[in-house]
Amino acid sequence: MDKSMLGDLDALPEEDKLRMSSMIDQLQVRDRYTHTHTHIYILRMYNSLVERCFTDCVDTFRRKSLDKQEETCVRRCAEKFLKHSMRVGMRFAELNQGAATQD
């Protein structure tokens, strides 16, 4: 939403225009807050994935690249982690939807 939208509301009294402008400001702040926290959550999830799979799959540091066994382990670990994360997210959405319909 943008304050330029207020140009279409010329017929409103000045007090209502100010109130609408304030509401738009609040929504924009909330959206930025939500967007920032989403990025933080994604970074934490990614860091957790890397740490977990690296710890579980990488045994030695003799080479710059992973050997075939380590590569396979990392791929499987990442797939399991992402599938689990998606399932947990879906379950939270189901629970949240159920709670919203009970109100």
Side-chain angles (χ1 to χ4, degrees):
M1 221 182 289
D2 190 314
K3 284 186 181 181
S4 65
M5 293 173 55
L6 291 177
D8 298 335
L9 305 174
D10 286 334
L12 291 175
E14 193 62 32
E15 182 180 322
D16 289 343
K17 287 182 201 177
L18 290 172
R19 194 178 353 230
M20 289 292 287
S21 178
S22 175
M23 288 171 53
I24 290 170
D25 286 342
Q26 290 173 3
L27 288 171
Q28 288 175 337
V29 167
R30 187 193 70 196
D31 287 346
R32 279 192 293 271
Y33 176 82
T34 301
H35 187 73
T36 299
H37 282 273
T38 300
H39 282 291
I40 291 170
Y41 171 76
I42 290 169
L43 286 172
R44 284 184 180 156
M45 190 170 104
Y46 175 77
N47 287 337
S48 179
L49 166 70
V50 169
E51 182 179 346
R52 173 122 188 219
C53 293
F54 184 86
T55 301
D56 289 352
C57 297
V58 179
D59 297 323
T60 65
F61 296 95
R62 291 177 288 188
R63 292 175 302 284
K64 289 182 183 179
S65 59
L66 301 174
D67 66 26
K68 192 72 171 166
Q69 184 179 356
E70 291 170 332
E71 191 175 321
T72 301
C73 179
V74 168
R75 185 179 303 111
R76 285 184 182 150
C77 178
E79 287 173 359
K80 284 182 182 180
F81 186 93
L82 293 173
K83 284 179 184 177
H84 173 74
S85 296
M86 287 174 49
R87 179 62 190 130
V88 168
M90 288 171 36
R91 185 66 180 132
F92 275 126
E94 289 168 4
L95 293 171
N96 192 27
Q97 187 177 20
T101 58
Q102 292 177 2
D103 291 342

